[in-house]
Coordinates of all heavy atoms in Angstrom, one line a residue:
M1 N 0.8 -1.2 0.0 CA 0.0 0.0 0.0 C 0.9 1.3 0.0 O 1.8 1.4 0.8 CB -0.9 0.0 1.3 CG -1.9 1.1 1.3 SD -3.2 0.8 2.4 CE -2.4 1.1 4.0
N2 N 0.6 2.1 -0.9 CA 1.4 3.3 -1.0 C 1.0 4.3 0.0 O 0.1 4.1 0.9 CB 1.2 4.0 -2.4 CG 1.9 3.2 -3.5 OD1 2.8 2.3 -3.2 ND2 1.5 3.3 -4.7
E3 N 1.6 5.5 0.0 CA 1.4 6.5 1.0 C 0.0 7.1 0.9 O -0.5 7.4 -0.2 CB 2.4 7.7 0.7 CG 2.5 8.7 1.8 CD 3.2 8.1 3.0 OE1 4.0 7.2 2.9 OE2 2.9 8.7 4.1
I4 N -0.7 7.1 2.0 CA -2.1 7.7 2.1 C -1.9 9.1 2.5 O -1.2 9.4 3.5 CB -2.9 6.9 3.1 CG1 -3.0 5.4 2.7 CG2 -4.3 7.5 3.3 CD1 -3.8 5.2 1.4
K5 N -2.6 10.0 1.9 CA -2.5 11.4 2.2 C -3.2 11.7 3.5 O -4.1 11.0 4.0 CB -3.2 12.3 1.1 CG -2.7 12.2 -0.2 CD -3.5 13.0 -1.2 CE -3.3 12.5 -2.6 NZ -4.2 13.1 -3.5
E6 N -2.6 12.7 4.3 CA -3.2 13.1 5.5 C -4.6 13.6 5.4 O -5.4 13.3 6.2 CB -2.3 14.2 6.1 CG -2.6 14.5 7.6 CD -2.3 13.4 8.6 OE1 -1.4 12.7 8.4 OE2 -3.1 13.3 9.5
E7 N -4.9 14.2 4.3 CA -6.2 14.8 4.0 C -7.2 13.6 3.9 O -8.4 13.6 4.4 CB -6.2 15.5 2.7 CG -7.5 16.0 2.2 CD -7.4 16.7 0.8 OE1 -6.4 17.3 0.6 OE2 -8.4 16.5 0.0
D8 N -6.8 12.5 3.2 CA -7.7 11.3 3.1 C -7.9 10.7 4.4 O -9.1 10.2 4.7 CB -7.0 10.3 2.1 CG -7.0 10.7 0.7 OD1 -7.8 11.6 0.4 OD2 -6.2 10.2 -0.1
I9 N -6.9 10.6 5.3 CA -7.1 10.0 6.6 C -8.0 10.8 7.5 O -8.9 10.3 8.1 CB -5.7 9.8 7.3 CG1 -4.8 8.8 6.6 CG2 -5.9 9.4 8.8 CD1 -3.4 8.7 7.1
K10 N -7.9 12.1 7.4 CA -8.8 13.1 8.1 C -10.2 12.9 7.6 O -11.1 12.9 8.4 CB -8.3 14.5 8.0 CG -9.0 15.5 8.9 CD -8.5 16.9 8.8 CE -7.1 16.9 9.3 NZ -6.6 18.3 9.3
F11 N -10.4 12.9 6.3 CA -11.7 12.7 5.7 C -12.3 11.4 6.2 O -13.5 11.4 6.6 CB -11.6 12.7 4.2 CG -12.9 12.2 3.6 CD1 -14.0 13.1 3.5 CD2 -13.0 11.0 3.0 CE1 -15.2 12.6 2.9 CE2 -14.2 10.5 2.5 CZ -15.3 11.3 2.4
L12 N -11.6 10.3 6.2 CA -12.1 9.0 6.6 C -12.5 9.0 8.1 O -13.5 8.4 8.4 CB -11.2 7.9 6.2 CG -11.7 6.5 6.1 CD1 -12.9 6.5 5.2 CD2 -10.6 5.6 5.7
D13 N -11.6 9.6 8.9 CA -12.0 9.7 10.3 C -13.3 10.5 10.5 O -14.2 10.0 11.3 CB -10.9 10.5 11.1 CG -9.6 9.7 11.2 OD1 -9.7 8.4 11.1 OD2 -8.5 10.3 11.4
E14 N -13.5 11.6 9.8 CA -14.8 12.3 10.0 C -15.9 11.6 9.4 O -17.0 11.6 9.9 CB -14.6 13.7 9.3 CG -13.7 14.6 10.0 CD -13.4 15.9 9.1 OE1 -14.1 16.1 8.1 OE2 -12.5 16.7 9.6
F15 N -15.7 10.9 8.2 CA -16.8 10.2 7.6 C -17.3 9.0 8.4 O -18.5 8.8 8.6 CB -16.3 9.6 6.2 CG -17.3 8.8 5.5 CD1 -18.3 9.5 4.8 CD2 -17.3 7.5 5.5 CE1 -19.3 8.8 4.1 CE2 -18.3 6.8 4.8 CZ -19.3 7.4 4.1
L16 N -16.4 8.3 9.1 CA -16.8 7.1 9.9 C -17.4 7.6 11.2 O -18.1 6.8 11.8 CB -15.6 6.2 10.1 CG -15.1 5.5 8.9 CD1 -13.8 4.7 9.2 CD2 -16.1 4.5 8.3
A17 N -17.0 8.8 11.7 CA -17.6 9.3 12.9 C -18.9 9.9 12.8 O -19.8 9.9 13.7 CB -16.6 10.2 13.5
D18 N -19.2 10.5 11.6 CA -20.5 11.3 11.4 C -21.6 10.4 10.8 O -21.3 9.2 10.5 CB -20.2 12.4 10.4 CG -19.5 13.6 11.0 OD1 -19.6 13.7 12.2 OD2 -19.1 14.5 10.3
E19 N -22.7 11.0 10.7 CA -23.8 10.3 10.1 C -23.6 10.4 8.6 O -22.8 11.2 8.0 CB -25.1 11.1 10.3 CG -25.5 11.1 11.8 CD -26.8 11.8 12.0 OE1 -27.5 12.1 11.0 OE2 -27.1 12.1 13.2
L20 N -24.2 9.5 7.8 CA -24.1 9.4 6.4 C -24.8 10.6 5.8 O -26.0 10.8 6.0 CB -24.6 8.1 5.8 CG -23.8 6.9 6.2 CD1 -24.5 5.7 5.6 CD2 -22.4 6.9 5.8
T21 N -24.1 11.4 5.0 CA -24.8 12.5 4.3 C -24.5 12.3 2.8 O -23.7 11.6 2.4 CB -24.2 13.9 4.7 OG1 -22.8 13.9 4.4 CG2 -24.4 14.1 6.2
E22 N -25.4 13.0 2.0 CA -25.2 12.8 0.6 C -23.9 13.4 0.1 O -23.2 12.8 -0.8 CB -26.4 13.6 -0.1 CG -26.4 13.3 -1.6 CD -27.6 13.9 -2.3 OE1 -28.6 14.3 -1.6 OE2 -27.6 14.1 -3.5
E23 N -23.5 14.5 0.7 CA -22.2 15.1 0.2 C -21.1 14.2 0.6 O -20.1 14.0 -0.2 CB -22.0 16.5 0.9 CG -23.0 17.5 0.4 CD -24.3 17.4 1.2 OE1 -24.3 16.9 2.3 OE2 -25.3 17.9 0.7
G24 N -21.1 13.6 1.8 CA -20.1 12.7 2.3 C -20.0 11.5 1.4 O -18.9 11.0 1.1
L25 N -21.1 10.9 1.0 CA -21.1 9.7 0.1 C -20.6 10.0 -1.2 O -19.9 9.2 -1.8 CB -22.5 9.1 0.0 CG -23.0 8.5 1.4 CD1 -24.5 8.1 1.2 CD2 -22.2 7.3 1.6
K26 N -20.9 11.2 -1.7 CA -20.4 11.6 -3.1 C -18.9 11.8 -3.0 O -18.2 11.3 -3.9 CB -21.0 12.9 -3.6 CG -22.5 12.7 -4.0 CD -23.0 14.1 -4.5 CE -24.5 13.9 -4.9 NZ -25.1 15.1 -5.3
E27 N -18.4 12.4 -1.9 CA -16.9 12.6 -1.8 C -16.2 11.2 -1.6 O -15.2 11.0 -2.2 CB -16.7 13.5 -0.6 CG -15.2 13.7 -0.4 CD -14.5 14.5 -1.5 OE1 -15.2 15.2 -2.2 OE2 -13.3 14.4 -1.6
L28 N -16.9 10.3 -0.9 CA -16.4 8.9 -0.7 C -16.2 8.2 -2.0 O -15.2 7.6 -2.3 CB -17.2 8.2 0.3 CG -16.7 6.7 0.5 CD1 -15.4 6.7 1.2 CD2 -17.7 6.0 1.4
D29 N -17.3 8.3 -2.8 CA -17.3 7.7 -4.2 C -16.2 8.2 -5.0 O -15.5 7.5 -5.7 CB -18.6 7.9 -4.9 CG -19.7 7.0 -4.3 OD1 -19.4 6.0 -3.7 OD2 -20.9 7.4 -4.6
R30 N -15.9 9.5 -4.9 CA -14.9 10.1 -5.7 C -13.5 9.6 -5.2 O -12.7 9.3 -6.1 CB -14.9 11.7 -5.6 CG -13.9 12.4 -6.5 CD -14.0 13.9 -6.3 NE -13.4 14.3 -4.9 CZ -12.2 14.3 -4.6 NH1 -11.2 13.9 -5.5 NH2 -11.8 14.7 -3.4
R31 N -13.4 9.5 -3.9 CA -12.0 9.1 -3.4 C -11.8 7.6 -3.6 O -10.7 7.2 -3.6 CB -11.9 9.5 -1.9 CG -11.8 11.0 -1.7 CD -11.7 11.3 -0.2 NE -11.9 12.7 0.0 CZ -10.9 13.4 0.6 NH1 -9.8 12.9 1.0 NH2 -11.1 14.7 0.7
L32 N -12.9 6.8 -3.6 CA -12.7 5.4 -3.8 C -12.2 5.0 -5.2 O -11.8 3.8 -5.4 CB -14.0 4.7 -3.5 CG -14.4 4.5 -2.1 CD1 -15.8 3.9 -1.9 CD2 -13.4 3.7 -1.3
K33 N -12.1 5.9 -6.1 CA -11.5 5.6 -7.4 C -10.0 5.4 -7.3 O -9.4 4.8 -8.1 CB -11.8 6.7 -8.4 CG -13.3 6.8 -8.7 CD -13.7 7.9 -9.6 CE -15.2 8.0 -9.9 NZ -15.6 9.1 -10.6
D34 N -9.4 6.0 -6.2 CA -8.0 5.7 -6.0 C -7.8 4.4 -5.3 O -8.3 4.1 -4.2 CB -7.4 6.8 -5.1 CG -6.0 6.7 -4.7 OD1 -5.3 6.0 -5.4 OD2 -5.6 7.3 -3.7
P35 N -7.0 3.4 -5.9 CA -6.9 2.1 -5.3 C -6.3 2.1 -3.9 O -6.6 1.2 -3.1 CB -6.1 1.3 -6.4 CG -5.6 2.3 -7.3 CD -6.4 3.6 -7.2
D36 N -5.3 3.0 -3.7 CA -4.7 3.0 -2.4 C -5.7 3.4 -1.3 O -5.7 2.8 -0.2 CB -3.5 4.0 -2.4 CG -2.4 3.5 -3.3 OD1 -2.3 2.3 -3.4 OD2 -1.6 4.3 -3.8
F37 N -6.5 4.4 -1.6 CA -7.5 4.9 -0.7 C -8.5 3.8 -0.5 O -9.0 3.5 0.7 CB -8.2 6.2 -1.1 CG -9.2 6.6 -0.2 CD1 -8.9 7.3 1.0 CD2 -10.6 6.4 -0.4 CE1 -9.8 7.8 1.9 CE2 -11.6 6.8 0.5 CZ -11.1 7.6 1.6
K38 N -8.9 3.1 -1.5 CA -9.9 2.0 -1.4 C -9.4 0.9 -0.5 O -10.1 0.4 0.3 CB -10.1 1.4 -2.8 CG -11.3 0.5 -2.8 CD -11.6 0.1 -4.3 CE -12.9 -0.7 -4.3 NZ -13.3 -1.0 -5.7
N39 N -8.1 0.5 -0.6 CA -7.5 -0.5 0.3 C -7.5 0.0 1.7 O -7.8 -0.8 2.7 CB -6.1 -0.9 -0.2 CG -6.1 -1.7 -1.5 OD1 -7.1 -2.3 -1.8 ND2 -5.0 -1.6 -2.2
Y40 N -7.1 1.2 2.0 CA -7.1 1.8 3.3 C -8.5 1.8 3.9 O -8.8 1.6 5.1 CB -6.5 3.2 3.3 CG -6.4 3.8 4.6 CD1 -5.6 3.4 5.6 CD2 -7.2 5.0 4.9 CE1 -5.5 4.0 6.8 CE2 -7.2 5.5 6.2 CZ -6.3 5.0 7.1 OH -6.2 5.6 8.3
Y41 N -9.5 2.2 3.0 CA -10.9 2.3 3.5 C -11.4 0.8 3.9 O -12.0 0.7 4.9 CB -11.8 2.8 2.3 CG -13.2 2.8 2.6 CD1 -13.8 3.7 3.5 CD2 -14.1 2.0 2.0 CE1 -15.1 3.7 3.8 CE2 -15.5 2.0 2.2 CZ -16.0 2.9 3.1 OH -17.3 2.9 3.4
K42 N -11.1 -0.2 3.1 CA -11.5 -1.5 3.5 C -10.8 -1.9 4.8 O -11.4 -2.6 5.6 CB -11.0 -2.5 2.4 CG -11.9 -2.4 1.1 CD -11.5 -3.4 0.1 CE -12.3 -3.2 -1.2 NZ -11.8 -4.2 -2.2
L43 N -9.6 -1.6 5.0 CA -8.8 -1.9 6.2 C -9.5 -1.2 7.4 O -9.7 -1.9 8.5 CB -7.4 -1.5 6.1 CG -6.5 -1.7 7.4 CD1 -6.3 -3.2 7.6 CD2 -5.2 -1.0 7.2
R44 N -9.9 0.0 7.3 CA -10.5 0.7 8.4 C -11.9 0.2 8.7 O -12.3 0.0 9.9 CB -10.7 2.2 8.1 CG -9.3 3.0 8.0 CD -8.9 3.3 9.5 NE -9.8 4.0 10.2 CZ -9.9 5.4 10.3 NH1 -9.0 6.1 9.6 NH2 -10.8 5.9 11.1
L45 N -12.7 -0.2 7.7 CA -14.0 -0.8 7.9 C -13.8 -2.1 8.7 O -14.6 -2.5 9.6 CB -14.7 -1.0 6.6 CG -15.4 0.2 6.0 CD1 -16.1 -0.2 4.7 CD2 -16.3 0.9 6.9
K46 N -12.8 -2.9 8.3 CA -12.6 -4.2 8.9 C -12.2 -4.0 10.3 O -12.7 -4.7 11.3 CB -11.5 -5.0 8.2 CG -11.3 -6.4 8.6 CD -10.3 -7.1 7.8 CE -10.2 -8.6 8.2 NZ -9.3 -9.3 7.4
Q47 N -11.4 -3.0 10.6 CA -11.0 -2.7 12.0 C -12.2 -2.2 12.8 O -12.3 -2.6 14.0 CB -9.9 -1.6 12.1 CG -8.6 -2.1 11.6 CD -7.6 -0.9 11.5 OE1 -8.0 0.2 11.6 NE2 -6.3 -1.2 11.3
K48 N -13.1 -1.5 12.2 CA -14.2 -0.9 13.0 C -15.3 -1.9 13.3 O -15.8 -1.9 14.3 CB -14.8 0.3 12.2 CG -15.9 0.9 12.9 CD -16.5 2.1 12.1 CE -17.6 2.8 12.9 NZ -18.1 3.9 12.2
Y49 N -15.5 -2.9 12.3 CA -16.6 -3.8 12.5 C -16.2 -5.2 12.9 O -17.1 -6.0 12.9 CB -17.5 -3.8 11.2 CG -18.2 -2.4 11.1 CD1 -17.8 -1.6 10.0 CD2 -19.1 -2.0 12.0 CE1 -18.5 -0.4 9.9 CE2 -19.8 -0.8 11.8 CZ -19.4 0.0 10.7 OH -20.0 1.2 10.6
S50 N -14.9 -5.5 13.1 CA -14.6 -6.8 13.5 C -14.8 -7.0 14.9 O -14.6 -6.1 15.8 CB -13.1 -7.1 13.1 OG -12.3 -6.3 13.9
I51 N -15.4 -8.2 15.3 CA -15.7 -8.5 16.7 C -15.1 -9.8 17.0 O -15.2 -10.8 16.2 CB -17.3 -8.6 16.8 CG1 -17.9 -7.2 16.5 CG2 -17.6 -9.0 18.3 CD1 -19.4 -7.3 16.5
S52 N -14.5 -9.9 18.2 CA -13.9 -11.2 18.6 C -15.0 -12.2 18.9 O -16.1 -11.8 19.2 CB -13.0 -11.0 19.8 OG -13.9 -10.7 20.9
P53 N -14.7 -13.5 18.8 CA -15.7 -14.5 19.0 C -16.3 -14.4 20.5 O -17.5 -14.6 20.7 CB -15.0 -15.8 18.9 CG -13.8 -15.4 18.0 CD -13.5 -14.0 18.3
I54 N -15.5 -14.0 21.4 CA -16.0 -13.9 22.8 C -17.0 -12.8 22.9 O -18.1 -13.0 23.6 CB -14.8 -13.7 23.8 CG1 -14.0 -15.0 23.8 CG2 -15.3 -13.4 25.2 CD1 -12.7 -14.9 24.6
R55 N -16.7 -11.6 22.3 CA -17.6 -10.5 22.4 C -18.9 -10.8 21.6 O -20.0 -10.4 22.1 CB -17.0 -9.3 21.8 CG -15.9 -8.7 22.7 CD -15.4 -7.5 22.1 NE -16.4 -6.4 22.3 CZ -16.2 -5.3 22.9 NH1 -15.1 -5.0 23.3 NH2 -17.2 -4.4 23.0
L56 N -18.8 -11.6 20.5 CA -20.0 -12.0 19.8 C -20.9 -12.9 20.6 O -22.1 -12.8 20.6 CB -19.6 -12.6 18.5 CG -20.7 -13.0 17.5 CD1 -21.4 -11.7 17.0 CD2 -20.1 -13.8 16.4
F57 N -20.2 -13.9 21.3 CA -21.0 -14.8 22.2 C -21.7 -14.0 23.3 O -22.8 -14.3 23.6 CB -20.0 -15.9 22.7 CG -20.7 -16.8 23.7 CD1 -21.6 -17.7 23.3 CD2 -20.4 -16.7 25.1 CE1 -22.2 -18.6 24.2 CE2 -21.1 -17.5 26.0 CZ -22.0 -18.4 25.5
M58 N -20.9 -13.1 23.9 CA -21.5 -12.3 25.0 C -22.7 -11.4 24.5 O -23.6 -11.2 25.2 CB -20.5 -11.4 25.6 CG -19.4 -12.2 26.4 SD -20.1 -13.3 27.6 CE -20.6 -12.1 28.8
A59 N -22.6 -11.0 23.3 CA -23.7 -10.2 22.7 C -25.0 -11.0 22.5 O -26.1 -10.6 22.7 CB -23.3 -9.6 21.4
Y60 N -24.8 -12.3 22.1 CA -25.9 -13.2 21.9 C -26.4 -14.0 23.1 O -27.4 -14.7 23.1 CB -25.6 -14.2 20.7 CG -25.7 -13.5 19.4 CD1 -24.6 -13.2 18.6 CD2 -27.0 -13.2 18.8 CE1 -24.7 -12.6 17.4 CE2 -27.1 -12.6 17.6 CZ -26.0 -12.3 16.9 OH -26.1 -11.7 15.7
L61 N -25.6 -13.9 24.2 CA -25.9 -14.7 25.4 C -27.3 -14.5 25.9 O -28.0 -15.4 26.3 CB -24.9 -14.5 26.5 CG -25.0 -15.3 27.7 CD1 -24.8 -16.8 27.3 CD2 -23.9 -14.9 28.7
P62 N -27.8 -13.2 26.1 CA -29.2 -13.0 26.6 C -30.2 -13.7 25.7 O -31.2 -14.3 26.2 CB -29.4 -11.5 26.6 CG -28.0 -10.9 26.6 CD -27.1 -11.9 25.9
M63 N -30.1 -13.6 24.4 CA -31.0 -14.3 23.5 C -31.0 -15.8 23.7 O -32.0 -16.5 23.7 CB -30.7 -13.9 22.1 CG -31.7 -14.5 21.1 SD -31.4 -14.0 19.4 CE -29.8 -14.7 19.1
I64 N -29.8 -16.4 23.8 CA -29.6 -17.8 24.0 C -30.3 -18.2 25.3 O -31.0 -19.2 25.3 CB -28.2 -18.2 23.9 CG1 -27.6 -17.9 22.5 CG2 -28.0 -19.6 24.3 CD1 -26.1 -18.1 22.5
L65 N -30.0 -17.5 26.4 CA -30.7 -17.8 27.7 C -32.2 -17.7 27.6 O -32.9 -18.6 28.2 CB -30.2 -16.9 28.7 CG -28.7 -17.1 29.2 CD1 -28.3 -16.1 30.2 CD2 -28.5 -18.5 29.7
L66 N -32.7 -16.7 26.9 CA -34.2 -16.6 26.8 C -34.8 -17.8 26.1 O -35.8 -18.3 26.4 CB -34.5 -15.3 26.1 CG -36.0 -15.0 25.8 CD1 -36.7 -14.8 27.1 CD2 -36.2 -13.8 24.9
I67 N -34.1 -18.2 24.9 CA -34.7 -19.3 24.2 C -34.6 -20.6 25.1 O -35.6 -21.4 25.1 CB -33.9 -19.5 22.9 CG1 -34.2 -18.3 22.0 CG2 -34.1 -20.8 22.2 CD1 -33.3 -18.2 20.7
V68 N -33.5 -20.8 25.8 CA -33.4 -22.0 26.6 C -34.4 -22.0 27.7 O -35.1 -23.0 28.0 CB -32.0 -22.1 27.2 CG1 -31.9 -23.1 28.3 CG2 -31.0 -22.4 26.1
L69 N -34.6 -20.9 28.4 CA -35.6 -20.8 29.5 C -37.0 -20.9 28.9 O -37.9 -21.6 29.6 CB -35.5 -19.4 30.2 CG -34.2 -19.3 31.1 CD1 -34.1 -17.9 31.7 CD2 -34.2 -20.4 32.2
C70 N -37.3 -20.4 27.7 CA -38.7 -20.6 27.1 C -38.9 -22.1 26.8 O -40.0 -22.6 27.1 CB -38.8 -19.8 25.9 SG -39.1 -18.0 26.2
G71 N -37.8 -22.7 26.2 CA -38.0 -24.1 26.0 C -38.1 -24.9 27.2 O -39.0 -25.9 27.3
L72 N -37.4 -24.6 28.3 CA -37.6 -25.3 29.6 C -39.0 -25.1 30.1 O -39.6 -26.0 30.6 CB -36.5 -24.8 30.6 CG -36.5 -25.5 31.9 CD1 -36.2 -27.0 31.8 CD2 -35.5 -24.7 32.8
G73 N -39.5 -23.9 30.1 CA -40.8 -23.6 30.5 C -41.9 -24.4 29.8 O -42.8 -24.9 30.3
I74 N -41.8 -24.4 28.4 CA -42.7 -25.2 27.6 C -42.7 -26.7 28.0 O -43.7 -27.3 28.2 CB -42.4 -25.0 26.1 CG1 -42.8 -23.5 25.8 CG2 -43.2 -26.0 25.3 CD1 -42.4 -23.1 24.4
Y75 N -41.4 -27.2 28.2 CA -41.3 -28.6 28.6 C -41.9 -28.9 29.9 O -42.6 -29.9 30.1 CB -39.8 -28.9 28.6 CG -39.5 -30.3 29.2 CD1 -39.7 -31.4 28.5 CD2 -39.0 -30.4 30.5 CE1 -39.5 -32.7 29.0 CE2 -38.8 -31.7 31.1 CZ -39.0 -32.8 30.3 OH -38.8 -34.0 30.9
L76 N -41.7 -28.0 30.9 CA -42.3 -28.2 32.2 C -43.8 -28.1 32.2 O -44.6 -28.9 32.9 CB -41.8 -27.2 33.2 CG -40.3 -27.4 33.6 CD1 -39.8 -26.3 34.5 CD2 -40.1 -28.7 34.3
I77 N -44.4 -27.2 31.4 CA -45.8 -27.1 31.3 C -46.4 -28.4 30.6 O -47.4 -28.9 31.1 CB -46.2 -25.9 30.4 CG1 -45.9 -24.6 31.3 CG2 -47.7 -25.9 30.0 CD1 -46.0 -23.3 30.5
L78 N -45.7 -28.9 29.6 CA -46.2 -30.0 28.9 C -46.1 -31.3 29.7 O -47.0 -32.2 29.6 CB -45.5 -30.2 27.5 CG -45.9 -29.2 26.5 CD1 -45.0 -29.4 25.2 CD2 -47.3 -29.1 26.1
T79 N -45.1 -31.4 30.6 CA -45.0 -32.6 31.4 C -46.0 -32.6 32.5 O -46.3 -33.7 33.1 CB -43.6 -32.7 31.9 OG1 -43.2 -31.6 32.7 CG2 -42.6 -33.0 30.9
K80 N -46.5 -31.5 32.9 CA -47.5 -31.4 34.0 C -48.9 -31.7 33.5 O -49.7 -31.9 34.3 CB -47.5 -30.0 34.7 CG -46.2 -29.6 35.4 CD -46.0 -30.5 36.6 CE -44.7 -30.2 37.3 NZ -44.6 -30.9 38.6
L81 N -49.1 -31.6 32.2 CA -50.4 -31.9 31.7 C -50.7 -33.3 31.6 O -50.6 -34.3 31.6 CB -50.6 -31.2 30.3 CG -50.6 -29.7 30.3 CD1 -50.8 -29.2 28.9 CD2 -51.8 -29.2 31.2

């Protein structure tokens, strides 16, 4: 990967921190024509949205517990009938 301009890094920091605007998306489309910027953009998106397996499990743990408890409740109700 070649040298990324400081202006591109600053733009990407602001773009990822702000809400999506039409002007920002147009500017992003214009800048993505540069292959070096495109590679840097993909790297930043991967860093921002990658989640470790432990954090992913912890995020889904309440839903898993709810499903297990509902299943257990249904089982207990059906065995009492």
Side-chain angles (χ1 to χ4, degrees):
M1 185 164 73
N2 290 341
E3 193 73 23
I4 301 296
K5 298 177 198 169
E6 187 69 31
E7 175 185 326
D8 290 339
I9 294 172
K10 189 180 289 186
F11 166 77
L12 200 53
D13 289 340
E14 292 173 7
F15 180 79
L16 292 175
D18 281 344
E19 295 180 13
L20 296 177
T21 62
E22 186 174 344
E23 296 83 21
L25 290 173
K26 286 180 182 178
E27 181 66 21
L28 179 66
D29 285 340
R30 185 184 68 76
R31 290 178 190 240
L32 283 175
K33 293 177 184 174
D34 179 21
D36 293 331
F37 180 79
K38 189 173 187 175
N39 290 335
Y40 180 69
Y41 176 70
K42 287 180 184 179
L43 177 70
R44 289 285 303 269
L45 283 180
K46 188 174 183 179
Q47 288 174 348
K48 183 175 181 178
Y49 293 112
S50 65
I51 299 175
S52 70
I54 294 172
R55 290 185 71 127
L56 186 63
F57 176 73
M58 293 304 290
Y60 282 105
L61 186 61
M63 182 178 61
I64 294 168
L65 290 174
L66 178 67
I67 292 170
V68 168
L69 290 174
C70 286
L72 181 63
I74 291 171
Y75 171 75
L76 290 174
I77 289 172
L78 291 176
T79 57
K80 294 293 181 175
L81 293 178

